[in-house]
Each structure stands twice: as structure tokens, then as C-alpha cells.
Coordinates of all heavy atoms in Angstrom, one line a residue:
M7 N -192.9 -166.3 21.4 CA -193.3 -167.7 21.4 C -194.7 -167.9 21.8 O -195.2 -167.2 22.8 CB -192.3 -168.5 22.3 CG -192.5 -170.0 22.1 SD -191.3 -170.8 23.2 CE -192.4 -171.3 24.6
T8 N -195.4 -168.7 21.2 CA -196.8 -169.0 21.6 C -196.9 -170.3 22.4 O -196.5 -171.4 21.8 CB -197.7 -169.1 20.4 OG1 -197.6 -167.9 19.7 CG2 -199.2 -169.3 20.8
T9 N -197.4 -170.3 23.6 CA -197.5 -171.5 24.4 C -198.9 -171.9 24.5 O -199.8 -171.1 24.1 CB -196.9 -171.2 25.8 OG1 -197.7 -170.3 26.4 CG2 -195.5 -170.7 25.7
M10 N -199.2 -173.0 25.0 CA -200.5 -173.5 25.2 C -201.3 -172.6 26.2 O -202.4 -172.2 25.9 CB -200.5 -174.9 25.9 CG -200.2 -176.0 24.9 SD -201.4 -176.2 23.6 CE -202.6 -177.2 24.5
A11 N -200.6 -172.1 27.2 CA -201.2 -171.2 28.2 C -201.7 -169.9 27.5 O -202.7 -169.4 27.8 CB -200.2 -170.9 29.3
D12 N -200.9 -169.4 26.5 CA -201.3 -168.2 25.8 C -202.6 -168.4 25.0 O -203.3 -167.4 24.8 CB -200.2 -167.9 24.8 CG -198.9 -167.4 25.4 OD1 -199.0 -166.9 26.6 OD2 -197.8 -167.5 24.8
Q13 N -202.9 -169.6 24.7 CA -204.0 -169.9 23.9 C -205.2 -170.4 24.7 O -206.3 -170.5 24.1 CB -203.7 -170.9 22.8 CG -202.6 -170.5 21.8 CD -203.0 -169.3 21.0 OE1 -204.1 -169.3 20.4 NE2 -202.1 -168.3 20.9
E14 N -205.0 -170.6 25.9 CA -206.1 -171.2 26.8 C -207.3 -170.4 26.8 O -208.4 -170.9 26.9 CB -205.5 -171.5 28.2 CG -206.2 -172.6 28.9 CD -205.5 -172.9 30.2 OE1 -204.4 -173.3 30.3 OE2 -206.2 -172.6 31.2
W15 N -207.2 -169.1 26.7 CA -208.3 -168.2 26.8 C -209.3 -168.5 25.7 O -210.5 -168.3 25.8 CB -207.9 -166.7 26.7 CG -207.2 -166.3 25.5 CD1 -205.8 -166.3 25.3 CD2 -207.7 -165.9 24.3 NE1 -205.5 -165.9 24.0 CE2 -206.7 -165.6 23.4 CE3 -209.1 -165.6 23.8 CZ2 -206.9 -165.2 22.0 CZ3 -209.3 -165.2 22.5 CH2 -208.2 -164.9 21.7
R16 N -208.8 -169.0 24.6 CA -209.7 -169.3 23.5 C -210.8 -170.3 23.8 O -211.9 -170.3 23.2 CB -208.9 -169.8 22.3 CG -208.0 -168.8 21.7 CD -207.3 -169.3 20.4 NE -206.2 -168.3 20.0 CZ -206.4 -167.2 19.3 NH1 -207.6 -166.9 18.9 NH2 -205.4 -166.5 19.0
T17 N -210.5 -171.2 24.8 CA -211.6 -172.1 25.2 C -212.8 -171.5 25.8 O -213.8 -172.0 26.0 CB -211.0 -173.2 26.2 OG1 -210.6 -172.5 27.4 CG2 -209.8 -173.9 25.5
K18 N -212.6 -170.2 26.3 CA -213.7 -169.5 26.9 C -214.3 -168.5 26.0 O -215.2 -167.7 26.4 CB -213.1 -168.7 28.1 CG -212.5 -169.6 29.2 CD -211.9 -168.8 30.3 CE -211.1 -169.7 31.3 NZ -210.0 -169.0 31.9
A19 N -213.9 -168.5 24.8 CA -214.5 -167.5 23.8 C -216.0 -167.6 23.6 O -216.5 -168.7 23.4 CB -213.8 -167.7 22.5
A20 N -216.7 -166.5 23.7 CA -218.1 -166.5 23.5 C -218.5 -166.9 22.1 O -219.6 -167.3 21.8 CB -218.7 -165.2 23.9
C21 N -217.5 -166.7 21.2 CA -217.8 -167.0 19.8 C -217.5 -168.4 19.4 O -217.6 -168.8 18.2 CB -217.0 -166.0 18.9 SG -215.2 -166.2 19.1
R22 N -217.1 -169.2 20.3 CA -216.7 -170.6 20.0 C -217.7 -171.3 19.1 O -217.4 -172.1 18.2 CB -216.5 -171.4 21.3 CG -215.1 -171.2 21.8 CD -214.8 -172.3 22.9 NE -214.3 -173.5 22.3 CZ -214.2 -174.6 22.9 NH1 -214.6 -174.7 24.2 NH2 -213.8 -175.7 22.3
N23 N -219.0 -171.2 19.5 CA -220.0 -172.0 18.7 C -220.8 -171.1 17.7 O -221.8 -171.5 17.2 CB -221.0 -172.6 19.7 CG -220.3 -173.5 20.7 OD1 -219.4 -174.3 20.3 ND2 -220.5 -173.4 22.0
E24 N -220.2 -170.0 17.4 CA -220.9 -169.1 16.4 C -220.3 -169.4 15.1 O -219.1 -169.9 15.0 CB -220.7 -167.6 16.8 CG -221.2 -167.2 18.2 CD -222.8 -167.2 18.2 OE1 -223.4 -167.2 17.1 OE2 -223.3 -167.2 19.3
D25 N -221.0 -168.9 14.1 CA -220.5 -169.0 12.7 C -219.3 -168.1 12.5 O -219.4 -166.9 12.8 CB -221.6 -168.6 11.8 CG -221.3 -168.9 10.3 OD1 -220.1 -169.1 10.0 OD2 -222.2 -168.8 9.5
A26 N -218.2 -168.6 12.2 CA -217.0 -167.8 12.0 C -217.2 -166.6 11.0 O -216.6 -165.6 11.2 CB -215.8 -168.6 11.7
E27 N -218.0 -166.9 10.0 CA -218.2 -165.9 9.0 C -218.8 -164.6 9.5 O -218.6 -163.5 9.0 CB -219.0 -166.4 7.8 CG -218.3 -167.4 6.9 CD -219.2 -168.0 5.8 OE1 -220.2 -167.3 5.5 OE2 -218.9 -169.1 5.4
L28 N -219.5 -164.8 10.6 CA -220.2 -163.6 11.3 C -219.1 -162.6 11.7 O -219.3 -161.4 11.7 CB -220.9 -164.2 12.5 CG -222.1 -163.4 13.1 CD1 -223.2 -163.2 12.1 CD2 -222.6 -164.1 14.3
F29 N -218.0 -163.1 12.1 CA -216.9 -162.3 12.6 C -216.0 -161.8 11.5 O -215.1 -161.0 11.8 CB -216.1 -163.0 13.7 CG -216.9 -163.2 15.0 CD1 -217.9 -164.2 15.0 CD2 -216.7 -162.4 16.0 CE1 -218.6 -164.3 16.2 CE2 -217.5 -162.5 17.2 CZ -218.5 -163.5 17.3
F30 N -216.2 -162.2 10.3 CA -215.4 -161.7 9.2 C -216.3 -161.3 8.0 O -216.3 -161.9 7.0 CB -214.4 -162.8 8.7 CG -213.4 -163.2 9.7 CD1 -213.6 -164.1 10.7 CD2 -212.1 -162.5 9.7 CE1 -212.6 -164.4 11.6 CE2 -211.2 -162.8 10.6 CZ -211.4 -163.7 11.6
P31 N -217.1 -160.3 8.3 CA -218.1 -159.9 7.3 C -217.4 -159.3 6.1 O -216.4 -158.6 6.2 CB -218.9 -158.8 8.0 CG -218.1 -158.3 9.1 CD -217.2 -159.5 9.5
E32 N -217.9 -159.6 4.9 CA -217.3 -159.1 3.7 C -217.5 -157.6 3.5 O -216.7 -156.9 3.0 CB -217.8 -159.8 2.5 CG -217.2 -161.2 2.3 CD -217.7 -162.0 1.1 OE1 -218.1 -161.3 0.2 OE2 -217.7 -163.2 1.2
R33 N -218.7 -157.2 3.9 CA -219.0 -155.7 3.7 C -218.3 -154.9 4.8 O -218.0 -155.4 5.9 CB -220.5 -155.5 3.8 CG -221.3 -156.0 2.6 CD -222.8 -155.9 2.8 NE -223.2 -156.6 4.0 CZ -223.8 -156.1 5.0 NH1 -224.1 -154.8 5.0 NH2 -224.2 -156.8 6.0
T34 N -217.9 -153.7 4.5 CA -217.2 -152.9 5.4 C -218.2 -152.0 6.2 O -217.8 -151.2 7.0 CB -216.2 -152.0 4.8 OG1 -216.8 -151.3 3.7 CG2 -215.0 -152.8 4.2
S35 N -219.5 -152.2 5.9 CA -220.5 -151.4 6.7 C -220.4 -151.6 8.2 O -220.2 -152.8 8.6 CB -221.9 -151.8 6.2 OG -222.8 -151.5 7.2
P36 N -220.5 -150.6 9.0 CA -220.4 -150.8 10.4 C -221.5 -151.7 10.9 O -221.3 -152.3 11.9 CB -220.6 -149.3 11.0 CG -220.9 -148.5 9.8 CD -220.7 -149.2 8.5
Y37 N -222.7 -151.7 10.2 CA -223.8 -152.6 10.7 C -223.4 -154.1 10.6 O -223.9 -154.9 11.3 CB -225.0 -152.3 9.8 CG -225.5 -150.9 9.9 CD1 -225.3 -150.0 8.8 CD2 -226.0 -150.4 11.1 CE1 -225.7 -148.7 8.9 CE2 -226.4 -149.0 11.2 CZ -226.2 -148.2 10.1 OH -226.6 -146.9 10.2
A38 N -222.5 -154.4 9.7 CA -222.1 -155.8 9.6 C -221.4 -156.3 10.8 O -221.4 -157.5 11.1 CB -221.1 -155.9 8.4
Y39 N -220.9 -155.4 11.6 CA -220.3 -155.8 12.9 C -221.2 -155.7 14.1 O -220.7 -156.0 15.2 CB -219.0 -154.9 13.1 CG -217.9 -155.2 12.2 CD1 -217.6 -154.5 11.1 CD2 -217.1 -156.4 12.5 CE1 -216.5 -154.8 10.3 CE2 -216.0 -156.7 11.7 CZ -215.7 -155.9 10.6 OH -214.7 -156.3 9.7
A40 N -222.4 -155.3 13.9 CA -223.3 -155.1 15.1 C -223.5 -156.4 15.8 O -223.4 -156.5 17.0 CB -224.6 -154.6 14.6
L41 N -223.8 -157.5 15.1 CA -224.1 -158.8 15.8 C -222.8 -159.4 16.4 O -222.9 -159.7 17.6 CB -224.7 -159.8 14.8 CG -225.1 -161.1 15.4 CD1 -226.0 -160.9 16.6 CD2 -225.8 -162.0 14.4
P42 N -221.7 -159.5 15.7 CA -220.5 -160.0 16.4 C -220.1 -159.1 17.6 O -219.7 -159.6 18.6 CB -219.4 -160.0 15.3 CG -220.0 -159.2 14.2 CD -221.5 -159.3 14.3
R43 N -220.3 -157.8 17.4 CA -220.0 -156.9 18.6 C -220.8 -157.2 19.8 O -220.3 -157.2 20.9 CB -220.2 -155.4 18.1 CG -219.4 -154.4 19.0 CD -219.8 -153.0 18.8 NE -219.6 -152.4 17.5 CZ -218.4 -151.9 17.1 NH1 -217.4 -151.9 18.0 NH2 -218.3 -151.4 15.9
S44 N -222.1 -157.5 19.6 CA -222.9 -157.9 20.8 C -222.4 -159.2 21.4 O -222.6 -159.3 22.6 CB -224.4 -157.9 20.3 OG -224.6 -159.1 19.7
I45 N -221.9 -160.1 20.6 CA -221.4 -161.3 21.2 C -220.1 -161.1 21.9 O -219.9 -161.5 23.1 CB -221.2 -162.4 20.1 CG1 -222.5 -162.8 19.4 CG2 -220.5 -163.6 20.6 CD1 -222.4 -163.6 18.2
C46 N -219.3 -160.3 21.4 CA -218.0 -159.9 22.0 C -218.3 -159.2 23.3 O -217.5 -159.3 24.3 CB -217.1 -159.0 21.1 SG -216.5 -159.8 19.7
S47 N -219.3 -158.4 23.4 CA -219.6 -157.6 24.6 C -219.9 -158.4 25.8 O -219.7 -158.0 26.9 CB -220.7 -156.6 24.3 OG -222.0 -157.3 24.3
R48 N -220.3 -159.7 25.6 CA -220.5 -160.5 26.7 C -219.5 -161.6 26.9 O -219.7 -162.6 27.5 CB -221.9 -161.1 26.7 CG -222.2 -162.0 25.5 CD -223.6 -162.6 25.5 NE -223.9 -163.3 24.3 CZ -223.4 -164.5 23.9 NH1 -222.6 -165.1 24.7 NH2 -223.8 -165.0 22.8
C49 N -218.4 -161.5 26.2 CA -217.3 -162.4 26.2 C -216.3 -162.1 27.3 O -215.9 -160.9 27.5 CB -216.6 -162.4 24.8 SG -215.2 -163.5 24.8
T50 N -216.0 -163.1 28.1 CA -215.1 -162.8 29.3 C -213.6 -162.7 28.9 O -212.8 -162.3 29.7 CB -215.3 -163.9 30.3 OG1 -214.9 -165.2 29.7 CG2 -216.7 -164.0 30.9
V51 N -213.3 -163.1 27.7 CA -211.9 -163.1 27.3 C -211.6 -162.0 26.2 O -210.7 -162.2 25.4 CB -211.4 -164.5 26.9 CG1 -211.3 -165.4 28.1 CG2 -212.2 -165.0 25.7
R52 N -212.4 -161.0 26.2 CA -212.2 -160.0 25.1 C -210.9 -159.3 25.2 O -210.4 -158.9 24.1 CB -213.4 -159.1 24.9 CG -213.8 -158.3 26.1 CD -215.1 -157.5 25.8 NE -215.5 -156.7 26.9 CZ -216.2 -157.1 27.9 NH1 -216.7 -158.3 28.0 NH2 -216.5 -156.3 28.9
T53 N -210.4 -159.1 26.4 CA -209.1 -158.4 26.5 C -208.0 -159.2 25.9 O -207.2 -158.7 25.1 CB -208.8 -158.1 28.0 OG1 -209.8 -157.3 28.5 CG2 -207.5 -157.4 28.1
E54 N -208.0 -160.5 26.2 CA -207.0 -161.4 25.6 C -207.1 -161.5 24.1 O -206.1 -161.5 23.4 CB -207.2 -162.8 26.2 CG -206.8 -162.9 27.7 CD -207.9 -162.6 28.6 OE1 -208.9 -161.9 28.2 OE2 -207.8 -163.1 29.8
C55 N -208.4 -161.5 23.7 CA -208.7 -161.6 22.2 C -208.1 -160.3 21.5 O -207.5 -160.4 20.5 CB -210.2 -161.7 22.0 SG -210.7 -161.8 20.3
L56 N -208.4 -159.2 22.1 CA -207.9 -157.9 21.5 C -206.4 -157.8 21.4 O -205.8 -157.5 20.4 CB -208.5 -156.7 22.2 CG -208.0 -155.4 21.8 CD1 -208.4 -155.1 20.4 CD2 -208.5 -154.3 22.7
E57 N -205.8 -158.2 22.6 CA -204.3 -158.1 22.6 C -203.7 -159.0 21.6 O -202.7 -158.7 21.0 CB -203.8 -158.4 24.0 CG -204.2 -157.3 25.1 CD -203.8 -155.9 24.7 OE1 -202.7 -155.7 24.1 OE2 -204.6 -154.9 24.9
S58 N -204.3 -160.2 21.5 CA -203.8 -161.2 20.6 C -203.8 -160.6 19.1 O -202.9 -160.8 18.4 CB -204.6 -162.5 20.7 OG -204.2 -163.4 19.7
A59 N -204.9 -160.0 18.8 CA -205.1 -159.4 17.5 C -204.1 -158.3 17.2 O -203.6 -158.1 16.2 CB -206.5 -159.0 17.2
L60 N -203.9 -157.5 18.3 CA -203.1 -156.3 18.1 C -201.6 -156.7 17.9 O -200.8 -155.9 17.4 CB -203.2 -155.4 19.4 CG -204.5 -154.6 19.5 CD1 -204.6 -153.9 20.9 CD2 -204.7 -153.6 18.4
K61 N -201.3 -157.9 18.3 CA -199.9 -158.3 18.2 C -199.6 -158.8 16.7 O -198.5 -159.0 16.4 CB -199.6 -159.6 19.1 CG -199.3 -159.2 20.5 CD -199.1 -160.5 21.3 CE -199.2 -160.2 22.8 NZ -199.5 -161.5 23.5
Q62 N -200.7 -158.9 15.9 CA -200.5 -159.4 14.6 C -201.2 -158.5 13.6 O -202.1 -158.8 12.9 CB -201.1 -160.8 14.5 CG -200.5 -161.8 15.4 CD -201.4 -163.0 15.5 OE1 -201.6 -163.8 14.6 NE2 -202.0 -163.3 16.7
P63 N -200.6 -157.2 13.5 CA -201.3 -156.3 12.6 C -201.3 -156.7 11.1 O -202.3 -156.4 10.4 CB -200.4 -155.0 12.8 CG -199.1 -155.5 13.3 CD -199.4 -156.7 14.1
Q64 N -200.3 -157.4 10.7 CA -200.3 -157.8 9.3 C -201.5 -158.7 8.9 O -202.1 -158.5 7.9 CB -199.0 -158.6 8.9 CG -197.7 -157.9 9.3 CD -197.3 -158.2 10.8 OE1 -198.1 -158.6 11.6 NE2 -196.1 -157.9 11.1
T65 N -201.8 -159.6 9.8 CA -202.9 -160.5 9.5 C -204.2 -160.0 10.0 O -205.3 -160.4 9.4 CB -202.6 -161.9 10.1 OG1 -202.3 -161.7 11.5 CG2 -201.5 -162.6 9.4
N66 N -204.2 -159.2 11.0 CA -205.5 -158.8 11.6 C -206.0 -157.4 11.4 O -207.1 -157.1 11.9 CB -205.4 -159.1 13.1 CG -205.4 -160.6 13.4 OD1 -205.9 -161.4 12.7 ND2 -204.6 -161.0 14.4
D67 N -205.3 -156.6 10.7 CA -205.8 -155.2 10.6 C -206.7 -155.0 9.4 O -207.4 -154.0 9.3 CB -204.6 -154.2 10.4 CG -204.3 -153.6 11.8 OD1 -204.8 -154.1 12.8 OD2 -203.5 -152.6 11.8
S68 N -206.8 -156.0 8.5 CA -207.6 -155.8 7.3 C -209.1 -156.3 7.5 O -210.0 -155.8 6.9 CB -207.0 -156.5 6.1 OG -206.8 -157.8 6.4
T69 N -209.3 -157.2 8.3 CA -210.6 -157.8 8.4 C -210.9 -158.4 9.8 O -209.9 -158.6 10.6 CB -210.9 -158.9 7.4 OG1 -212.2 -159.3 7.4 CG2 -209.9 -160.1 7.6
G70 N -212.1 -158.7 10.1 CA -212.5 -159.4 11.3 C -212.7 -158.6 12.5 O -212.2 -157.5 12.6
M71 N -213.6 -159.1 13.4 CA -213.8 -158.5 14.7 C -213.1 -159.3 15.7 O -213.2 -160.5 15.8 CB -215.3 -158.5 14.9 CG -215.7 -158.2 16.4 SD -217.2 -157.2 16.6 CE -216.6 -155.6 16.1
F72 N -212.3 -158.6 16.5 CA -211.6 -159.2 17.6 C -211.7 -158.4 18.9 O -211.5 -157.1 18.8 CB -210.1 -159.4 17.3 CG -209.8 -160.3 16.2 CD1 -209.5 -159.8 14.9 CD2 -209.8 -161.7 16.4 CE1 -209.3 -160.6 13.8 CE2 -209.5 -162.5 15.3 CZ -209.3 -162.0 14.0
G73 N -212.1 -159.0 19.9 CA -212.3 -158.3 21.2 C -213.4 -157.2 21.2 O -213.3 -156.3 22.0
G74 N -214.2 -157.3 20.2 CA -215.3 -156.3 20.1 C -214.9 -155.1 19.3 O -215.6 -154.1 19.3
F75 N -213.8 -155.1 18.6 CA -213.3 -154.0 17.8 C -213.1 -154.4 16.3 O -212.6 -155.5 16.0 CB -211.9 -153.5 18.4 CG -212.0 -152.9 19.7 CD1 -211.9 -153.7 20.9 CD2 -212.3 -151.6 19.9 CE1 -212.0 -153.2 22.1 CE2 -212.4 -151.0 21.2 CZ -212.2 -151.8 22.3
T76 N -213.5 -153.4 15.5 CA -213.4 -153.6 14.1 C -212.0 -153.3 13.6 O -211.2 -152.8 14.4 CB -214.3 -152.6 13.3 OG1 -213.9 -151.3 13.6 CG2 -215.8 -152.8 13.8
P77 N -211.6 -153.7 12.4 CA -210.2 -153.3 11.9 C -209.9 -151.9 12.1 O -208.8 -151.5 12.6 CB -210.3 -153.8 10.5 CG -211.3 -154.9 10.4 CD -212.3 -154.5 11.4
D78 N -210.8 -151.0 11.7 CA -210.6 -149.5 11.8 C -210.3 -149.2 13.3 O -209.4 -148.4 13.6 CB -211.8 -148.7 11.3 CG -211.8 -148.6 9.8 OD1 -210.8 -149.0 9.2 OD2 -212.8 -148.1 9.3
E79 N -211.1 -149.7 14.1 CA -211.0 -149.4 15.6 C -209.7 -149.9 16.1 O -209.0 -149.3 17.0 CB -212.2 -150.0 16.3 CG -213.5 -149.3 16.0 CD -214.7 -150.0 16.5 OE1 -214.6 -151.2 16.8 OE2 -215.8 -149.4 16.5
R80 N -209.2 -151.1 15.7 CA -208.0 -151.6 16.1 C -206.8 -150.8 15.6 O -205.8 -150.6 16.4 CB -207.8 -153.1 15.7 CG -208.8 -154.0 16.4 CD -208.4 -155.5 16.3 NE -208.3 -155.9 14.9 CZ -209.3 -156.3 14.2 NH1 -210.5 -156.3 14.7 NH2 -209.1 -156.7 13.0
R81 N -206.9 -150.3 14.4 CA -205.9 -149.4 13.9 C -205.8 -148.1 14.8 O -204.7 -147.6 15.1 CB -206.1 -149.0 12.4 CG -205.6 -150.1 11.5 CD -205.6 -149.6 10.0 NE -207.0 -149.5 9.5 CZ -207.6 -150.6 9.0 NH1 -206.9 -151.7 8.8 NH2 -208.8 -150.5 8.5
Q82 N -207.0 -147.7 15.2 CA -207.0 -146.5 16.0 C -206.3 -146.7 17.4 O -205.6 -145.9 17.9 CB -208.4 -146.0 16.2 CG -208.5 -144.7 17.0 CD -207.8 -143.5 16.3 OE1 -208.1 -143.1 15.2 NE2 -206.8 -143.0 17.0
I83 N -206.6 -147.9 17.9 CA -206.0 -148.3 19.2 C -204.5 -148.3 19.1 O -203.8 -147.8 20.0 CB -206.6 -149.6 19.7 CG1 -208.0 -149.5 20.1 CG2 -205.7 -150.2 20.9 CD1 -208.7 -150.9 20.3
R84 N -204.0 -148.8 18.0 CA -202.6 -148.9 17.8 C -202.0 -147.5 17.7 O -200.9 -147.3 18.2 CB -202.3 -149.8 16.6 CG -200.8 -150.2 16.5 CD -200.5 -151.2 15.4 NE -201.0 -152.5 15.7 CZ -202.1 -153.0 15.1 NH1 -202.7 -152.4 14.1 NH2 -202.5 -154.2 15.4
R85 N -202.7 -146.6 17.0 CA -202.2 -145.3 16.9 C -202.2 -144.6 18.2 O -201.2 -143.9 18.5 CB -203.1 -144.5 15.9 CG -202.7 -144.7 14.4 CD -203.3 -143.6 13.5 NE -204.8 -143.7 13.5 CZ -205.5 -144.4 12.7 NH1 -204.9 -145.2 11.8 NH2 -206.8 -144.3 12.7
C86 N -203.2 -144.8 19.0 CA -203.3 -144.2 20.4 C -202.1 -144.7 21.2 O -201.4 -143.9 21.8 CB -204.5 -144.6 21.1 SG -206.0 -143.7 20.6
R87 N -201.8 -146.0 21.2 CA -200.7 -146.5 22.0 C -199.4 -146.0 21.5 O -198.4 -145.9 22.3 CB -200.8 -148.0 22.0 CG -202.0 -148.6 22.7 CD -201.9 -150.1 22.8 NE -203.0 -150.6 23.6 CZ -203.2 -151.9 23.8 NH1 -202.4 -152.8 23.4 NH2 -204.3 -152.3 24.5
A88 N -199.3 -145.8 20.2 CA -198.0 -145.3 19.6 C -197.9 -143.8 19.8 O -196.8 -143.2 19.5 CB -197.9 -145.7 18.1
G89 N -199.0 -143.2 20.2 CA -198.9 -141.7 20.4 C -199.0 -140.9 19.1 O -198.7 -139.8 19.0
T90 N -199.5 -141.6 18.1 CA -199.6 -140.9 16.8 C -201.0 -140.6 16.4 O -201.3 -140.2 15.2 CB -199.0 -141.8 15.6 OG1 -199.7 -143.1 15.7 CG2 -197.5 -142.0 15.9
C91 N -201.9 -140.6 17.4 CA -203.3 -140.2 17.1 C -203.5 -138.7 17.3 O -202.5 -138.1 17.7 CB -204.3 -141.0 18.0 SG -204.1 -140.5 19.7
Q92 N -204.7 -138.2 17.1 CA -204.9 -136.8 17.2 C -205.7 -136.5 18.5 O -206.3 -135.4 18.6 CB -205.7 -136.3 16.0 CG -205.0 -136.5 14.7 CD -203.7 -135.8 14.6 OE1 -203.6 -134.6 15.0 NE2 -202.7 -136.4 14.2
H93 N -205.7 -137.4 19.4 CA -206.5 -137.2 20.6 C -205.8 -136.4 21.7 O -204.6 -136.3 21.7 CB -206.9 -138.6 21.3 CG -207.7 -139.5 20.3 ND1 -207.5 -140.8 20.3 CD2 -208.6 -139.1 19.4 CE1 -208.3 -141.3 19.4 NE2 -209.0 -140.3 18.8
D94 N -206.6 -135.8 22.6 CA -206.0 -135.0 23.6 C -205.2 -135.7 24.6 O -204.4 -135.2 25.3 CB -207.2 -134.2 24.4 CG -207.7 -133.1 23.6 OD1 -207.0 -132.7 22.6 OD2 -208.9 -132.7 23.8
H95 N -205.5 -137.0 24.7 CA -204.8 -137.8 25.8 C -203.3 -137.9 25.7 O -202.6 -138.4 26.6 CB -205.5 -139.1 26.1 CG -205.4 -140.1 24.9 ND1 -204.7 -141.2 24.9 CD2 -206.0 -140.0 23.7 CE1 -204.9 -141.8 23.7 NE2 -205.7 -141.1 23.0
H96 N -202.7 -137.4 24.6 CA -201.3 -137.5 24.5 C -200.7 -136.1 24.6 O -199.5 -135.9 24.4 CB -200.9 -138.0 23.1 CG -201.4 -139.5 23.0 ND1 -201.0 -140.5 23.8 CD2 -202.3 -140.0 22.1 CE1 -201.6 -141.6 23.5 NE2 -202.4 -141.3 22.4
R97 N -201.5 -135.1 24.9 CA -201.0 -133.7 25.0 C -200.8 -133.2 26.5 O -200.9 -132.1 26.8 CB -201.9 -132.8 24.3 CG -201.9 -133.0 22.8 CD -202.8 -132.1 22.0 NE -203.0 -132.7 20.7 CZ -204.2 -132.6 20.1 NH1 -205.2 -132.1 20.6 NH2 -204.3 -133.2 18.9
G98 N -200.6 -134.2 27.3 CA -200.4 -133.8 28.7 C -201.6 -133.8 29.5 O -202.7 -133.5 29.0
Q99 N -201.5 -134.2 30.7 CA -202.7 -134.2 31.6 C -203.0 -132.8 32.1 O -202.1 -132.0 32.3 CB -202.4 -135.1 32.8 CG -202.1 -136.6 32.4 CD -203.2 -137.2 31.6 OE1 -204.4 -137.1 32.0 NE2 -202.9 -137.9 30.6
P100 N -204.3 -132.5 32.3 CA -204.7 -131.2 32.8 C -204.3 -131.1 34.3 O -204.1 -132.0 34.9 CB -206.2 -131.2 32.7 CG -206.7 -132.6 32.6 CD -205.5 -133.4 32.0
Ligands
SF4_10 S1 -214.0 -161.0 22.1 FE1 -215.3 -161.6 20.4 S2 -214.0 -162.5 18.8 FE2 -212.8 -162.4 20.7 S3 -213.1 -164.4 21.6 FE3 -214.6 -163.1 22.5 S4 -216.5 -163.4 21.3 FE4 -214.7 -164.2 20.1
ZN11 ZN1 -205.5 -141.5 21.1

């Protein structure tokens, strides 16, 4: 269930007054995300923003920058959390 409180963080979004298209670049070039990424980097609610996007993979995995992460990066985060990535952090602590 989505409550008002769940959405309150959006009022603090650093991108509130930015052009929304900036955060949904058509090109898949990593450079297309450079400017929105810099805005996200100074956003105080980027954790909330990322978690919100991660909860909706169907709508949010194909496009858009959320929480400072590109679609590819969010897919990777999901794989890490699911333990299906190829990183060392799932092979036991040293
Ligand atoms: S993290 Fe980025 S996309 Fe998310 S609310 Fe902040 S500025 Fe907007
Ligand atoms: Zn991983």
C-alpha cells in the first residue's frame, strides 16, 4: 500500500524543478546520464528514490535515472541483493 508518508520524500527531491526529460534520456549512452547523476548526487532523498524504483522493476528497469542509478545499474543492484551476481561479496567473508 502506498501512503502519503511513503511519498513525502518526493517533496525534497533535488530534481523537482528540473526538466523531467533530463532523467529519461532516450539515448542509452552513459553520458546521457551524467547531468542527472550530478543532480542526484546532491539529493538528500536518493535512498528513498532508489528503493522506490527498485520496488517497481516492471516500470522502472527499462529507463530513467532514480537515486543516481541508471537502469543497468539498478538491475545490477537487484542481482546483488538476490545473490545472483558474479561478485565476491556473496562467496563468504574473508
Ligand atoms: S535521487 Fe535523483 S531522481 Fe531521485 S529524487 Fe533525487 S534528484 Fe530526483
Ligand atoms: Zn553483487
Side-chain angles (χ1 to χ4, degrees):
M7 193 178 99
T8 301
T9 65
M10 286 293 281
D12 289 336
Q13 299 296 314
E14 209 176 288
W15 61 268
R16 290 183 193 279
T17 64
K18 298 175 189 150
C21 59
R22 273 194 86 191
N23 300 315
E24 301 288 343
D25 186 348
E27 283 179 28
L28 203 62
F29 288 79
F30 293 88
E32 283 181 25
R33 291 173 301 121
T34 53
S35 157
Y37 301 109
Y39 284 104
L41 182 53
R43 200 193 294 276
S44 76
I45 296 169
C46 292
S47 73
R48 59 176 173 77
C49 178
T50 59
V51 292
R52 55 184 185 274
T53 302
E54 290 88 338
C55 180
L56 174 63
E57 293 305 323
S58 172
L60 288 174
K61 280 182 200 157
Q62 302 165 63
Q64 307 86 342
T65 49
N66 289 329
D67 262 15
S68 57
T69 184
M71 164 144 287
F72 295 99
F75 293 91
T76 65
D78 280 352
E79 290 164 347
R80 292 196 302 277
R81 274 191 288 275
Q82 183 61 61
I83 290 169
R84 194 173 288 108
R85 280 196 293 272
C86 280
R87 290 186 179 181
T90 56
C91 67
Q92 300 299 314
H93 301 144
D94 285 341
H95 59 113
H96 299 298
R97 290 179 200 141
Q99 300 301 318

